[in-house]
Amino acid sequence: MPRLFTPLTLRDVTVRNRLWVSPMCQYSAVDGVPQEWHHTHLAQFASGGAGLIVAEATAVTPEGRISPEDVGLWTDAQRDAWAPIVAAIRRRGAVAGIQLAHAGRKASTWSPLTGRRGSVPADDGGWATVAPSAVAYDGYAEPVALDIAGIDRIVAAFAAASRRAVEAGFQVLELHAAHGYLLHQFLSPLSNLREDEYGGSLRNRARLLLRVLEAVTDAAPGVPLIVRFSATDWAPGGWNADDTVTVARWAAERGADLFDISSGGLVAHQQLTTGPGYQVELAARVRREARVPVNAVGMIDDAAHAERVLAEGAADAVMAGREWLRDPHYGLRAASELGAEIDYWPAQYLRARPAGARRPAA
């Protein structure tokens, strides 16, 4: 059996394979409530053989949305709208996860679907943003520096959202501490210029993330928890792989089960070269030096490449995004390409099953 199609257990949750769906924003919610689009979008990946499906960045407060069209989990109505989507994923044999997020200074921006860039004015439904310091992302409105009371409210919001997520049926939670959003903004010295207990040293800059992690584990005890890191800012003087290794150790000590290793997104002047698997070595380093489980992401777009990442010990799982959008049945195709005998081909699709593939269990 190819390693990509062996199960992986996180606490009490067993994922049927190691080919997972990355959280991908759809910018299609109404007042934070997921719509029929989200149901179809996510359930199709479960039919297509995915192991873990992580729903898109989901704001824990209204002000934490990337755009006015982002999903949220700050109300019970949002929770109730997520429940049938989660049930559809689980009925098809996949594990349902959700990424909890706050966009910080990168909030209140135009959805990419509008073709516009920058901050949304208040007259068009935008709002004032918050951040560790009053330092704007290039081309966006200047945020308000959070005071201690504001930080406390955000910690509480993450905890409340995690409770709602579990009530909706999600089996895995992910904290978004990457791509230049609020938790990442606190981690990086390029965006965090504070001089109190949340700024300065690495321990202080990691304080908010660790507080959120502890609050979420208290609110959702026993639920597997993933932390997504940008392992480097790709910018001089910024957050880097050494920092990621150290903070991953601290997070694991406080209950994080796996780390989703991406990179970049904090500053517009980042310098990086992309290509197939360009972030794999970052994941491998965190796995090796922090001695924690990780998944790799970043242009790992074919089954053989994904299998090689696992076989070489660079990661414990692989997340893909665009390849699942191109082919929502990527999991079934990858199993056929690697000769994996899986028993979760949908009965309705058996006529398309390649010769020799294993029939579903009765």
Side-chain angles (χ1 to χ4, degrees):
M1 176 66 78
R3 186 163 178 77
L4 195 63
F5 286 92
T6 59
L8 179 65
T9 298
L10 301 173
R11 297 189 183 240
D12 294 332
V13 176
T14 297
V15 187
R16 63 187 177 187
N17 64 44
R18 298 165 188 246
L19 183 58
W20 300 349
V21 179
S22 285
M24 293 177 281
C25 290
Q26 298 298 292
Y27 305 104
S28 300
V30 178
D31 295 326
V33 176
Q35 304 295 301
E36 187 272 340
W37 174 266
H38 298 88
H39 190 127
T40 302
H41 167 68
L42 293 168
Q44 66 182 342
F45 302 135
S47 298
L52 170 65
I53 299 167
V54 183
E56 65 193 83
T58 301
V60 299
T61 70
E63 299 78 20
R65 291 172 293 169
I66 302 167
S67 78
E69 292 78 29
D70 276 24
V71 291
L73 255 179
W74 67 83
T75 71
D76 290 350
Q78 294 159 351
R79 175 201 63 195
D80 295 345
W82 277 116
I85 299 171
V86 175
I89 293 170
R90 297 180 62 171
R91 279 197 305 270
R92 290 160 173 80
V95 170
I98 189 166
Q99 184 184 72
L100 302 179
H102 191 298
R105 69 179 188 174
K106 293 179 78 174
S108 188
T109 60
W110 292 105
S111 157
L113 305 187
T114 67
R116 303 173 71 176
R117 289 195 73 255
S119 299
V120 179
D123 290 347
D124 291 313
W127 55 89
T129 60
V130 297
S133 305
V135 179
Y137 183 82
D138 188 38
Y140 291 3
E142 183 177 298
V144 175
L146 281 160
D147 60 16
I148 298 301
I151 290 173
D152 290 344
R153 286 192 294 271
I154 286 171
V155 173
F158 270 97
S162 68
R163 283 191 290 269
R164 289 192 177 95
V166 173
E167 291 166 358
F170 284 105
Q171 301 155 279
V172 173
L173 305 177
E174 177 171 284
L175 298 182
H176 199 352
H179 300 165
Y181 298 121
L182 184 67
L183 298 180
H184 185 186
Q185 291 162 28
F186 269 85
L187 292 171
S188 177
L190 296 180
S191 49
N192 184 346
L193 309 183
R194 300 176 72 97
E195 297 180 352
D196 62 3
E197 65 267 38
Y198 289 93
S201 70
L202 180 60
R203 177 71 71 172
N204 282 356
R205 287 183 278 116
R207 190 179 304 278
L208 176 58
L209 170 63
L210 299 179
R211 280 194 65 194
V212 167
L213 196 157
E214 291 174 342
V216 167
T217 55
D218 286 346
V223 178
L225 182 61
I226 299 172
V227 177
R228 169 166 272 197
F229 280 125
S230 280
T232 175
D233 288 340
W234 300 112
W239 172 262
N240 58 42
D242 289 340
D243 298 332
T244 304
V245 167
T246 299
V247 178
R249 289 196 194 105
W250 295 342
E253 291 168 358
R254 288 161 175 77
D257 297 287
L258 185 138
F259 296 87
D260 178 4
I261 306 300
S262 187
S263 69
L266 184 89
V267 291
H269 62 272
Q270 64 184 17
Q271 296 292 320
L272 72 159
T273 301
T274 63
Y278 73 102
Q279 296 174 138
V280 169
E281 178 49 37
L282 295 169
R285 181 174 175 188
V286 174
R287 185 178 192 263
R288 181 175 62 249
E289 297 183 16
R291 298 187 179 182
V292 294
V294 304
N295 71 259
V297 300
M299 299 178 71
I300 307 171
D301 292 338
D302 67 82
H305 188 184
E307 176 66 15
R308 189 162 63 250
V309 168
L310 301 187
E312 293 174 353
D316 300 274
V318 168
M319 276 192 184
R322 290 175 177 85
E323 191 60 24
W324 284 104
L325 297 183
R326 288 186 281 264
D327 178 6
H329 303 108
Y330 176 36
L332 303 179
R333 173 166 57 84
S336 297
E337 290 174 356
L338 295 176
E341 294 187 356
I342 61 172
D343 62 0
Y344 41 90
W345 268 82
Q348 296 90 336
Y349 292 172
L350 282 176
R351 73 191 74 178
R353 180 174 56 99
R358 185 178 174 187
R359 289 185 174 277

